[in-house]
Amino acid sequence: MGLINLPPNEGYTFTHSHAEQEEVYIVVSGKGFILIDGELIEIQRGDLVRVSPRAKRAIKAAQETDLFVICAGGVTQGYPQNSNSRYLIDDGIPDYDDIPPWYQDNPDIIAKNYVLKERMLKAQAKRKQQKKN
């Protein structure tokens, strides 16, 4: 389970999917949007949205209100796959090049996502090198 609390008009700066984890987003309070495979869906208090593992998703709070969401997910046994993982379920696949429509033309977000992508690639290379040794 994850708790997501977004201030007004704030959202994810990139989409992500999962290898196996199915997720259900439970809107506890506020209003906003969830982007699933390019489809923008309005969400509000009381809504539940199921997202299949491979679907790319991102969420954003509406302009006038916070958005508080519980994200519940689960996978089969065997997680975390990496013993040094920061997360119990470490099958997330970020797509730093897939910027949601609310940030697509924002140069600061594009630059931020570039830094995040470079950091991820560096960490992946380091883990690959450690496996060889």
Side-chain angles (χ1 to χ4, degrees), residues 17-104:
S17 60
H18 289 272
E20 294 184 42
Q21 178 174 241
E22 176 178 56
E23 295 178 327
V24 175
Y25 290 80
I26 305 161
V27 183
V28 177
S29 65
K31 294 180 182 179
F33 303 90
I34 186 165
L35 180 71
I36 304 173
D37 283 340
E39 181 181 356
L40 192 61
I41 303 164
E42 287 188 52
I43 54 175
Q44 63 183 347
R45 183 178 176 261
D47 286 346
L48 290 100
V49 181
R50 176 207 168 263
V51 183
S52 66
R54 295 287 181 181
K56 290 186 178 184
R57 82 267 340 231
I59 63 172
K60 177 188 179 289
Q63 193 165 0
E64 71 280 357
T65 179
D66 289 357
L67 179 63
F68 179 61
V69 175
I70 297 172
C71 178
V75 296
T76 57
Q77 291 181 334
Y79 285 89
Q81 292 180 342
N82 178 353
S83 61
N84 294 324
S85 179
R86 296 183 331 168
Y87 305 102
L88 177 60
I89 299 172
D90 58 355
D91 76 330
I93 306 164
D95 187 346
Y96 297 112
D97 297 321
D98 188 21
I99 299 173
W102 49 84
Y103 289 134
Q104 277 184 345

Coordinates of all heavy atoms in Angstrom, one line a residue, residues 17-104:
S17 N 4.7 1.8 -15.1 CA 4.0 0.6 -15.2 C 4.7 -0.4 -14.3 O 5.6 0.0 -13.5 CB 3.9 0.1 -16.6 OG 5.2 -0.2 -17.1
H18 N 4.2 -1.6 -14.3 CA 4.8 -2.7 -13.4 C 4.9 -4.0 -14.2 O 4.2 -4.2 -15.2 CB 3.9 -2.9 -12.2 CG 4.0 -1.8 -11.2 ND1 4.9 -1.7 -10.2 CD2 3.2 -0.7 -11.1 CE1 4.7 -0.7 -9.5 NE2 3.7 0.0 -10.0
A19 N 5.9 -4.8 -13.8 CA 6.0 -6.1 -14.5 C 4.9 -7.0 -14.1 O 4.3 -7.7 -15.0 CB 7.4 -6.7 -14.1
E20 N 4.5 -7.0 -12.8 CA 3.4 -7.9 -12.3 C 2.4 -7.3 -11.4 O 1.3 -7.8 -11.3 CB 4.1 -9.1 -11.5 CG 4.9 -10.0 -12.4 CD 5.5 -11.2 -11.6 OE1 4.7 -11.7 -10.8 OE2 6.6 -11.5 -11.7
Q21 N 2.7 -6.2 -10.8 CA 1.8 -5.6 -9.8 C 0.6 -4.9 -10.4 O 0.7 -4.0 -11.2 CB 2.6 -4.6 -8.9 CG 1.7 -3.9 -7.9 CD 2.4 -3.0 -7.0 OE1 2.4 -3.3 -5.8 NE2 3.0 -1.9 -7.4
E22 N -0.5 -5.4 -10.0 CA -1.8 -4.8 -10.3 C -2.1 -3.8 -9.2 O -1.7 -4.0 -8.1 CB -2.9 -5.8 -10.4 CG -4.3 -5.3 -10.6 CD -5.3 -6.4 -10.6 OE1 -5.4 -7.2 -9.7 OE2 -6.0 -6.5 -11.6
E23 N -2.6 -2.6 -9.5 CA -2.9 -1.6 -8.5 C -4.3 -1.2 -8.5 O -5.0 -1.2 -9.6 CB -2.0 -0.4 -8.7 CG -0.5 -0.6 -8.6 CD 0.3 0.6 -8.8 OE1 0.0 1.4 -9.7 OE2 1.4 0.7 -8.2
V24 N -4.8 -0.8 -7.3 CA -6.1 -0.1 -7.2 C -5.9 1.2 -6.5 O -5.3 1.2 -5.4 CB -7.1 -1.0 -6.4 CG1 -8.4 -0.2 -6.2 CG2 -7.4 -2.3 -7.1
Y25 N -6.3 2.3 -7.1 CA -6.2 3.6 -6.6 C -7.5 3.9 -5.9 O -8.6 3.9 -6.6 CB -5.9 4.6 -7.7 CG -4.5 4.5 -8.2 CD1 -4.1 3.5 -9.1 CD2 -3.4 5.3 -7.7 CE1 -2.9 3.4 -9.6 CE2 -2.1 5.2 -8.2 CZ -1.9 4.2 -9.2 OH -0.6 4.1 -9.6
I26 N -7.5 4.3 -4.6 CA -8.7 4.6 -3.8 C -8.6 6.0 -3.5 O -7.7 6.5 -2.7 CB -8.7 3.7 -2.6 CG1 -8.6 2.2 -2.9 CG2 -10.0 4.0 -1.8 CD1 -8.2 1.3 -1.8
V27 N -9.5 6.8 -4.0 CA -9.5 8.3 -3.8 C -10.2 8.5 -2.4 O -11.4 8.4 -2.3 CB -10.2 9.1 -4.9 CG1 -10.1 10.6 -4.6 CG2 -9.6 8.7 -6.3
V28 N -9.4 9.0 -1.4 CA -9.9 9.2 -0.1 C -10.5 10.6 0.0 O -11.6 10.8 0.6 CB -8.8 9.0 1.0 CG1 -9.3 9.4 2.3 CG2 -8.3 7.6 0.9
S29 N -9.8 11.6 -0.6 CA -10.3 13.0 -0.6 C -9.8 13.7 -1.8 O -8.7 13.4 -2.3 CB -10.0 13.7 0.7 OG -8.6 13.8 0.8
G30 N -10.5 14.8 -2.1 CA -10.1 15.7 -3.2 C -10.6 15.2 -4.6 O -11.4 14.3 -4.7
K31 N -10.0 15.9 -5.6 CA -10.4 15.6 -7.0 C -9.1 15.6 -7.8 O -8.1 16.2 -7.4 CB -11.3 16.6 -7.6 CG -12.7 16.7 -7.0 CD -13.5 17.7 -7.6 CE -14.9 17.8 -7.0 NZ -15.7 18.9 -7.6
G32 N -9.1 15.0 -8.9 CA -7.9 15.0 -9.8 C -8.1 14.2 -11.0 O -9.2 14.0 -11.5
F33 N -7.0 13.7 -11.5 CA -7.0 12.9 -12.8 C -6.1 11.8 -12.6 O -5.1 11.8 -12.0 CB -6.5 13.8 -13.9 CG -7.3 15.1 -14.1 CD1 -7.0 16.2 -13.4 CD2 -8.5 15.1 -14.9 CE1 -7.7 17.4 -13.5 CE2 -9.2 16.2 -15.0 CZ -8.9 17.4 -14.3
I34 N -6.4 10.7 -13.3 CA -5.5 9.6 -13.5 C -5.4 9.4 -15.0 O -6.4 9.4 -15.7 CB -6.0 8.3 -12.7 CG1 -4.9 7.2 -12.8 CG2 -7.3 7.8 -13.2 CD1 -5.1 6.0 -11.9
L35 N -4.1 9.2 -15.4 CA -3.8 9.0 -16.8 C -3.5 7.5 -16.9 O -2.6 7.0 -16.3 CB -2.6 9.8 -17.2 CG -2.2 9.7 -18.7 CD1 -3.2 10.3 -19.7 CD2 -0.8 10.4 -18.8
I36 N -4.2 6.8 -17.8 CA -4.0 5.3 -18.0 C -3.8 5.1 -19.5 O -4.8 5.3 -20.2 CB -5.1 4.5 -17.4 CG1 -5.3 4.8 -15.9 CG2 -4.8 3.0 -17.6 CD1 -6.5 4.0 -15.3
D37 N -2.6 4.7 -19.9 CA -2.4 4.4 -21.3 C -2.9 5.5 -22.2 O -3.6 5.3 -23.2 CB -3.0 3.1 -21.7 CG -2.1 1.9 -21.2 OD1 -0.9 2.1 -21.0 OD2 -2.6 0.8 -21.2
G38 N -2.6 6.8 -21.8 CA -3.0 7.9 -22.6 C -4.4 8.4 -22.4 O -4.8 9.5 -23.0
E39 N -5.2 7.7 -21.7 CA -6.6 8.2 -21.4 C -6.7 8.9 -20.1 O -6.3 8.4 -19.0 CB -7.6 7.0 -21.4 CG -9.0 7.4 -21.1 CD -10.0 6.2 -21.1 OE1 -9.6 5.0 -21.3 OE2 -11.2 6.4 -20.8
L40 N -7.1 10.2 -20.1 CA -7.2 11.0 -18.9 C -8.6 10.8 -18.3 O -9.6 11.1 -19.0 CB -7.0 12.5 -19.3 CG -6.7 13.4 -18.2 CD1 -5.5 13.0 -17.3 CD2 -6.6 14.8 -18.7
I41 N -8.7 10.4 -17.1 CA -9.9 10.1 -16.4 C -10.0 11.0 -15.2 O -9.1 11.0 -14.3 CB -10.0 8.6 -16.0 CG1 -9.8 7.7 -17.2 CG2 -11.3 8.3 -15.3 CD1 -9.5 6.3 -16.9
E42 N -11.1 11.7 -15.0 CA -11.4 12.5 -13.8 C -11.7 11.5 -12.6 O -12.4 10.5 -12.8 CB -12.5 13.4 -14.0 CG -12.2 14.6 -14.9 CD -13.3 15.6 -14.9 OE1 -13.8 16.1 -13.8 OE2 -13.8 16.0 -16.0
I43 N -11.1 11.8 -11.5 CA -11.3 11.1 -10.3 C -11.7 12.0 -9.1 O -11.3 13.2 -9.1 CB -10.1 10.2 -9.9 CG1 -8.8 11.0 -9.7 CG2 -9.9 9.0 -10.9 CD1 -7.6 10.2 -9.3
Q44 N -12.5 11.5 -8.2 CA -12.9 12.2 -7.0 C -13.1 11.3 -5.8 O -13.1 10.1 -6.0 CB -14.1 13.0 -7.3 CG -15.4 12.2 -7.6 CD -16.6 13.0 -8.0 OE1 -16.6 14.2 -7.8 NE2 -17.6 12.4 -8.5
R45 N -13.3 11.9 -4.7 CA -13.5 11.2 -3.4 C -14.5 10.0 -3.7 O -15.6 10.2 -4.2 CB -14.1 12.1 -2.4 CG -14.3 11.5 -1.0 CD -14.7 12.5 0.0 NE -15.0 11.9 1.2 CZ -16.2 11.5 1.6 NH1 -17.3 11.7 0.9 NH2 -16.4 10.9 2.8
G46 N -14.1 8.8 -3.2 CA -15.0 7.7 -3.3 C -14.7 6.8 -4.5 O -15.1 5.6 -4.6
D47 N -13.9 7.3 -5.5 CA -13.7 6.5 -6.7 C -12.6 5.5 -6.4 O -11.7 5.7 -5.6 CB -13.2 7.4 -7.8 CG -14.3 8.2 -8.5 OD1 -15.5 7.9 -8.2 OD2 -13.9 9.2 -9.2
L48 N -12.7 4.3 -7.1 CA -11.7 3.3 -7.1 C -11.4 3.0 -8.5 O -12.3 2.8 -9.3 CB -12.3 2.0 -6.4 CG -12.5 2.1 -4.9 CD1 -13.9 2.3 -4.6 CD2 -11.9 0.8 -4.3
V49 N -10.1 2.9 -8.8 CA -9.7 2.7 -10.2 C -8.7 1.5 -10.2 O -7.6 1.6 -9.5 CB -9.0 3.9 -10.8 CG1 -8.6 3.7 -12.2 CG2 -10.0 5.1 -10.7
R50 N -9.0 0.5 -10.9 CA -8.1 -0.7 -11.1 C -7.2 -0.4 -12.3 O -7.7 0.0 -13.3 CB -8.8 -2.0 -11.3 CG -7.9 -3.1 -11.5 CD -8.6 -4.2 -12.3 NE -7.7 -5.2 -12.8 CZ -7.1 -5.2 -14.0 NH1 -7.4 -4.3 -14.9 NH2 -6.3 -6.2 -14.3
V51 N -5.9 -0.7 -12.1 CA -4.9 -0.5 -13.2 C -4.1 -1.8 -13.4 O -3.5 -2.3 -12.4 CB -4.0 0.7 -13.0 CG1 -3.1 0.9 -14.1 CG2 -4.8 2.0 -12.6
S52 N -4.2 -2.3 -14.6 CA -3.4 -3.6 -14.9 C -1.9 -3.3 -14.8 O -1.5 -2.2 -15.0 CB -3.8 -4.2 -16.2 OG -3.5 -3.3 -17.2
P53 N -1.1 -4.3 -14.6 CA 0.3 -4.1 -14.4 C 1.0 -3.3 -15.5 O 1.7 -2.4 -15.3 CB 0.9 -5.5 -14.3 CG -0.3 -6.4 -13.8 CD -1.5 -5.7 -14.4
R54 N 0.8 -3.7 -16.8 CA 1.5 -3.1 -17.9 C 1.0 -1.8 -18.3 O 1.6 -1.1 -19.1 CB 1.5 -4.1 -19.1 CG 2.2 -5.4 -18.8 CD 3.6 -5.2 -18.9 NE 4.3 -6.5 -18.6 CZ 5.6 -6.6 -18.6 NH1 6.4 -5.5 -18.7 NH2 6.2 -7.8 -18.4
A55 N -0.2 -1.3 -17.8 CA -0.7 0.0 -18.2 C 0.2 1.1 -17.6 O 0.5 1.0 -16.5 CB -2.1 0.1 -17.7
K56 N 0.5 2.1 -18.5 CA 1.2 3.2 -18.0 C 0.3 4.2 -17.3 O -0.8 4.4 -17.8 CB 1.9 3.9 -19.1 CG 3.1 3.1 -19.7 CD 3.8 4.0 -20.8 CE 5.0 3.2 -21.3 NZ 5.7 4.0 -22.2
R57 N 0.7 4.6 -16.1 CA -0.2 5.5 -15.3 C 0.5 6.6 -14.6 O 1.7 6.6 -14.4 CB -1.0 4.6 -14.3 CG -0.2 4.3 -13.0 CD 0.6 3.0 -12.8 NE 0.4 1.9 -13.6 CZ 0.2 0.7 -13.2 NH1 0.1 0.4 -11.9 NH2 0.1 -0.3 -14.0
A58 N -0.3 7.7 -14.3 CA 0.2 8.8 -13.6 C -1.0 9.5 -13.0 O -2.1 9.4 -13.5 CB 1.0 9.8 -14.5
I59 N -0.9 10.2 -11.9 CA -2.0 10.9 -11.3 C -1.6 12.4 -11.0 O -0.5 12.7 -10.9 CB -2.5 10.3 -10.0 CG1 -1.5 10.2 -8.9 CG2 -3.0 8.8 -10.3 CD1 -2.0 9.8 -7.6
K60 N -2.7 13.2 -10.9 CA -2.5 14.6 -10.7 C -3.7 15.2 -9.9 O -4.9 14.7 -10.1 CB -2.4 15.4 -12.0 CG -2.3 16.9 -11.9 CD -2.5 17.5 -13.2 CE -2.4 19.0 -13.2 NZ -3.6 19.6 -12.5
A61 N -3.5 16.1 -9.0 CA -4.5 16.7 -8.2 C -5.2 17.8 -9.1 O -4.5 18.4 -10.0 CB -4.0 17.4 -7.0
A62 N -6.4 18.1 -8.9 CA -7.1 19.1 -9.6 C -6.5 20.5 -9.2 O -5.9 20.6 -8.2 CB -8.6 19.1 -9.3
Q63 N -6.8 21.5 -10.0 CA -6.2 22.8 -9.7 C -6.7 23.4 -8.4 O -5.9 24.1 -7.7 CB -6.6 23.8 -10.8 CG -5.8 25.0 -10.8 CD -6.0 25.8 -12.1 OE1 -6.6 25.4 -13.0 NE2 -5.3 26.9 -12.2
E64 N -7.9 23.1 -7.9 CA -8.4 23.7 -6.7 C -8.4 22.9 -5.4 O -8.8 23.4 -4.4 CB -9.9 24.1 -7.0 CG -10.9 23.0 -7.1 CD -10.9 22.2 -8.4 OE1 -10.2 22.6 -9.4 OE2 -11.6 21.2 -8.5
T65 N -7.9 21.7 -5.5 CA -7.9 20.8 -4.3 C -6.8 19.9 -4.2 O -6.2 19.5 -5.2 CB -9.3 20.0 -4.3 OG1 -9.3 19.2 -3.1 CG2 -9.4 19.2 -5.5
D66 N -6.4 19.5 -3.0 CA -5.5 18.4 -2.7 C -6.1 17.1 -3.3 O -7.3 17.0 -3.4 CB -5.2 18.2 -1.2 CG -4.4 19.4 -0.6 OD1 -4.0 20.3 -1.3 OD2 -4.2 19.3 0.6
L67 N -5.3 16.1 -3.4 CA -5.7 14.8 -3.8 C -5.0 13.8 -2.9 O -3.8 13.8 -2.8 CB -5.4 14.5 -5.3 CG -5.8 13.1 -5.8 CD1 -7.3 12.9 -5.7 CD2 -5.3 12.9 -7.2
F68 N -5.8 13.1 -2.1 CA -5.3 12.0 -1.2 C -5.8 10.7 -1.7 O -7.0 10.5 -1.8 CB -5.6 12.3 0.2 CG -5.1 11.2 1.2 CD1 -3.7 11.0 1.3 CD2 -6.0 10.4 1.9 CE1 -3.2 10.1 2.1 CE2 -5.5 9.5 2.8 CZ -4.1 9.3 2.9
V69 N -4.8 9.8 -2.1 CA -5.2 8.5 -2.6 C -4.4 7.4 -1.9 O -3.2 7.6 -1.6 CB -4.8 8.5 -4.2 CG1 -5.0 7.1 -4.8 CG2 -5.5 9.6 -4.9
I70 N -5.1 6.3 -1.7 CA -4.4 5.1 -1.3 C -4.2 4.2 -2.5 O -5.1 4.0 -3.3 CB -5.2 4.3 -0.2 CG1 -5.4 5.1 1.0 CG2 -4.6 2.9 0.1 CD1 -6.3 4.5 2.0
C71 N -3.0 3.8 -2.7 CA -2.7 2.9 -3.8 C -2.4 1.5 -3.2 O -1.4 1.3 -2.5 CB -1.5 3.4 -4.6 SG -1.0 2.3 -6.0
A72 N -3.2 0.5 -3.5 CA -3.1 -0.9 -3.0 C -2.7 -1.7 -4.2 O -3.3 -1.7 -5.3 CB -4.4 -1.3 -2.4
G73 N -1.7 -2.5 -4.0 CA -1.2 -3.4 -5.1 C -0.7 -4.7 -4.5 O -0.5 -4.9 -3.3
G74 N -0.5 -5.7 -5.4 CA 0.0 -7.0 -4.9 C 0.6 -7.8 -6.1 O 0.2 -7.6 -7.2
V75 N 1.5 -8.6 -5.8 CA 2.1 -9.5 -6.8 C 2.3 -10.9 -6.2 O 2.0 -11.1 -5.0 CB 3.5 -9.0 -7.2 CG1 3.4 -7.7 -7.9 CG2 4.5 -8.9 -6.0
T76 N 2.7 -11.8 -7.0 CA 3.0 -13.1 -6.5 C 4.2 -13.2 -5.6 O 4.9 -12.1 -5.5 CB 3.2 -14.1 -7.7 OG1 4.3 -13.6 -8.5 CG2 1.9 -14.2 -8.6
Q77 N 4.5 -14.3 -5.1 CA 5.7 -14.4 -4.2 C 7.0 -14.1 -4.9 O 7.0 -14.1 -6.1 CB 5.8 -15.8 -3.6 CG 4.7 -16.2 -2.7 CD 4.9 -17.6 -2.1 OE1 5.4 -18.4 -2.8 NE2 4.3 -17.8 -0.9
G78 N 8.0 -13.7 -4.1 CA 9.3 -13.5 -4.7 C 9.7 -12.1 -4.7 O 10.7 -11.7 -5.4
Y79 N 9.0 -11.2 -4.0 CA 9.4 -9.8 -4.0 C 9.8 -9.4 -2.6 O 9.3 -10.0 -1.6 CB 8.3 -8.9 -4.5 CG 8.1 -9.0 -6.0 CD1 7.3 -10.0 -6.6 CD2 8.8 -8.1 -6.8 CE1 7.2 -10.1 -8.0 CE2 8.7 -8.2 -8.2 CZ 7.9 -9.2 -8.7 OH 7.9 -9.3 -10.1
P80 N 10.7 -8.5 -2.4 CA 11.4 -7.8 -3.5 C 12.5 -8.7 -4.1 O 13.0 -9.6 -3.5 CB 12.1 -6.7 -2.8 CG 12.3 -7.1 -1.3 CD 11.1 -8.0 -1.1
Q81 N 12.7 -8.5 -5.4 CA 13.6 -9.3 -6.2 C 15.1 -8.9 -5.8 O 16.0 -9.7 -5.9 CB 13.4 -9.2 -7.7 CG 12.1 -9.8 -8.1 CD 11.8 -9.7 -9.5 OE1 12.4 -8.9 -10.2 NE2 10.9 -10.5 -10.0
N82 N 15.3 -7.6 -5.5 CA 16.6 -7.1 -5.2 C 16.7 -6.9 -3.7 O 15.9 -6.2 -3.1 CB 16.8 -5.8 -5.9 CG 18.2 -5.1 -5.6 OD1 18.9 -5.6 -4.7 ND2 18.5 -4.1 -6.3
S83 N 17.6 -7.6 -3.0 CA 17.7 -7.5 -1.6 C 17.9 -6.1 -1.0 O 17.7 -5.8 0.1 CB 18.7 -8.5 -1.0 OG 20.0 -8.2 -1.6
N84 N 18.5 -5.3 -1.9 CA 18.8 -3.9 -1.4 C 17.7 -2.9 -1.9 O 17.8 -1.7 -1.8 CB 20.1 -3.4 -2.1 CG 21.3 -4.2 -1.5 OD1 21.3 -4.5 -0.4 ND2 22.2 -4.4 -2.4
S85 N 16.5 -3.4 -2.3 CA 15.4 -2.6 -2.8 C 14.9 -1.7 -1.6 O 14.8 -2.1 -0.5 CB 14.3 -3.5 -3.3 OG 13.2 -2.7 -3.8
R86 N 14.5 -0.5 -2.0 CA 13.8 0.4 -1.1 C 12.3 0.1 -0.9 O 11.7 0.6 -0.1 CB 13.9 1.9 -1.6 CG 15.4 2.3 -1.6 CD 15.5 3.8 -2.0 NE 14.4 4.2 -2.9 CZ 14.1 5.5 -3.2 NH1 14.9 6.4 -2.7 NH2 13.1 5.8 -4.0
Y87 N 11.8 -0.8 -1.8 CA 10.4 -1.1 -1.8 C 10.2 -2.6 -1.7 O 10.9 -3.4 -2.2 CB 9.8 -0.6 -3.2 CG 10.0 0.8 -3.4 CD1 11.0 1.2 -4.3 CD2 9.3 1.8 -2.8 CE1 11.2 2.6 -4.6 CE2 9.5 3.2 -3.0 CZ 10.5 3.5 -3.9 OH 10.7 4.9 -4.2
L88 N 9.0 -2.9 -1.1 CA 8.7 -4.3 -0.9 C 8.4 -4.9 -2.3 O 8.8 -6.1 -2.6 CB 7.5 -4.5 0.0 CG 6.9 -5.9 0.1 CD1 8.0 -6.8 0.8 CD2 5.7 -5.9 1.0
I89 N 7.7 -4.2 -3.2 CA 7.4 -4.6 -4.5 C 8.2 -3.8 -5.5 O 8.0 -2.6 -5.6 CB 5.9 -4.5 -4.8 CG1 5.1 -5.4 -3.9 CG2 5.6 -5.0 -6.3 CD1 3.6 -5.3 -3.9
D90 N 9.3 -4.4 -6.0 CA 10.3 -3.6 -6.8 C 10.2 -3.9 -8.3 O 11.2 -4.0 -8.9 CB 11.7 -3.8 -6.3 CG 12.1 -5.3 -6.2 OD1 11.3 -6.2 -6.6 OD2 13.3 -5.5 -5.9
D91 N 9.0 -4.0 -8.8 CA 8.8 -4.3 -10.2 C 8.4 -3.1 -11.0 O 7.9 -3.3 -12.2 CB 7.9 -5.5 -10.4 CG 6.4 -5.1 -10.2 OD1 6.1 -4.2 -9.4 OD2 5.5 -5.8 -10.9
G92 N 8.5 -1.9 -10.4 CA 8.1 -0.7 -11.1 C 9.0 -0.4 -12.3 O 10.2 -0.7 -12.3
I93 N 8.3 0.1 -13.4 CA 9.1 0.4 -14.6 C 8.8 1.9 -14.9 O 7.7 2.2 -15.6 CB 8.6 -0.5 -15.8 CG1 8.8 -2.0 -15.4 CG2 9.4 -0.1 -17.0 CD1 8.0 -2.9 -16.3
P94 N 9.6 2.8 -14.5 CA 9.4 4.2 -14.8 C 9.7 4.5 -16.2 O 10.6 3.9 -16.8 CB 10.4 4.9 -13.8 CG 11.4 4.0 -13.6 CD 10.8 2.6 -13.6
D95 N 8.9 5.4 -16.8 CA 9.2 5.9 -18.2 C 9.4 7.4 -18.1 O 8.4 8.1 -18.3 CB 8.0 5.5 -19.1 CG 8.4 5.8 -20.6 OD1 9.3 6.5 -20.8 OD2 7.6 5.3 -21.5
Y96 N 10.6 7.8 -17.9 CA 10.9 9.2 -17.7 C 10.7 10.0 -18.9 O 10.7 11.2 -18.9 CB 12.4 9.3 -17.1 CG 12.5 8.7 -15.8 CD1 13.4 7.6 -15.6 CD2 11.9 9.2 -14.7 CE1 13.5 7.0 -14.4 CE2 12.1 8.7 -13.4 CZ 12.9 7.5 -13.3 OH 13.1 7.0 -12.1
D97 N 10.6 9.3 -20.1 CA 10.4 10.0 -21.4 C 8.9 10.2 -21.7 O 8.6 11.0 -22.6 CB 11.1 9.3 -22.5 CG 12.6 9.2 -22.4 OD1 13.2 10.2 -21.9 OD2 13.1 8.1 -22.7
D98 N 8.1 9.6 -20.9 CA 6.6 9.7 -21.1 C 6.1 10.7 -20.1 O 5.7 10.3 -19.0 CB 6.0 8.3 -21.0 CG 4.5 8.3 -21.4 OD1 4.1 9.3 -22.1 OD2 3.8 7.4 -21.0
I99 N 6.0 11.9 -20.5 CA 5.6 13.0 -19.6 C 4.1 13.2 -19.7 O 3.6 13.3 -20.8 CB 6.4 14.3 -19.9 CG1 7.9 14.0 -19.7 CG2 5.9 15.4 -19.0 CD1 8.8 15.2 -20.1
P100 N 3.4 13.1 -18.6 CA 1.9 13.3 -18.7 C 1.6 14.7 -19.3 O 2.4 15.6 -19.3 CB 1.5 13.3 -17.2 CG 2.6 12.5 -16.5 CD 3.8 12.9 -17.2
P101 N 0.3 14.8 -19.9 CA 0.0 16.0 -20.6 C 0.1 17.3 -19.7 O 0.3 18.4 -20.3 CB -1.5 15.8 -21.0 CG -1.9 14.6 -20.3 CD -0.7 13.8 -19.9
W102 N -0.1 17.2 -18.4 CA -0.1 18.4 -17.6 C 1.3 19.0 -17.4 O 1.5 20.1 -17.0 CB -0.7 18.1 -16.2 CG -0.2 16.9 -15.5 CD1 0.9 16.8 -14.7 CD2 -0.9 15.6 -15.5 NE1 1.0 15.5 -14.2 CE2 -0.1 14.8 -14.7 CE3 -2.0 15.1 -16.0 CZ2 -0.4 13.4 -14.4 CZ3 -2.4 13.8 -15.8 CH2 -1.6 13.0 -15.0
Y103 N 2.4 18.2 -17.8 CA 3.7 18.8 -17.7 C 4.5 18.7 -19.1 O 5.7 19.0 -19.1 CB 4.5 18.0 -16.7 CG 4.2 18.2 -15.3 CD1 4.0 17.2 -14.4 CD2 4.0 19.5 -14.8 CE1 3.7 17.4 -13.0 CE2 3.7 19.8 -13.5 CZ 3.5 18.7 -12.6 OH 3.2 18.9 -11.3
Q104 N 3.9 18.3 -20.2 CA 4.6 18.0 -21.4 C 5.5 19.1 -21.9 O 6.6 18.8 -22.5 CB 3.6 17.5 -22.5 CG 3.3 16.1 -22.4 CD 2.4 15.6 -23.5 OE1 1.8 16.4 -24.2 NE2 2.3 14.3 -23.6

